[in-house]
Amino acid sequence: MSDVNVEQVARLLRERNSVDEKIASIIQRPVASGHLGEWIAAQVFGIELEPSAVTAAVDGRFSSGPLRGQTVNVKWYLKREGLLDVTEGPALDFYLVLTGPASRASSSRGSTRPWCIESVYLFDARRLITELRARGVRIGTASSVRATQWAAAEIYPRAGNPALPVRPEQAELLWLFAP
């Protein structure tokens, strides 16, 4: 790598750090896909987040709508690769998963992970665990979720899961994060 490339990357990182500082001042947490995804989900779907970001399995509770009072774990994957970090926490009711574009799990060489939201999914946590166990899938980090399960859980842009209808004003907010 040339010195010019190192200098360019250093300059770009300084620019990124400046943007991250501005976002962090709004969301009151460091800029990481987990924290930012939780904040976006809270704004769009009326989720009251836990005061601590390290609460086991639960990121918050729906504060209104058909799922009012139900617990939720929010994930934001910059690409949807068919994998989901799953926990067996008994207090968890739902996974709300924001994703960027669909992609096969493969090498990241030569690719990017744009900070965008293309789709949103709502999984019933207990049903998902039951289905994964029935298939013999390991429960934990990067559990393999079938394409049919993703399709059935989709709430945006296609309404495949009626448990949480996306209102037009929510769709407009999500569209702001489109690729």
Side-chain angles (χ1 to χ4, degrees), residues 54-70:
V54 296
T55 302
V58 174
D59 293 321
R61 291 181 181 276
F62 289 96
S63 59
S64 62
L67 301 180
R68 182 184 179 119
Q70 300 291 303

Side-chain angles (χ1 to χ4, degrees), residues 69-85:
Q70 300 291 303
T71 59
V72 63
N73 185 301
V74 177
K75 304 289 185 192
W76 186 12
Y77 297 119
L78 304 181
K79 288 188 179 181
R80 183 175 62 83
E81 298 170 309
L83 304 174
L84 181 61
D85 292 345

Side-chain angles (χ1 to χ4, degrees), residues 57-58 60-62 67-73 89-96 122-128:
V58 174
R61 291 181 181 276
F62 289 96
L67 301 180
R68 182 184 179 119
Q70 300 291 303
T71 59
V72 63
N73 185 301
L92 181 60
D93 296 313
F94 292 97
Y95 288 98
L96 183 66
L122 181 76
F123 292 94
D124 178 296
R126 290 173 194 88
R127 183 177 340 142
L128 180 63

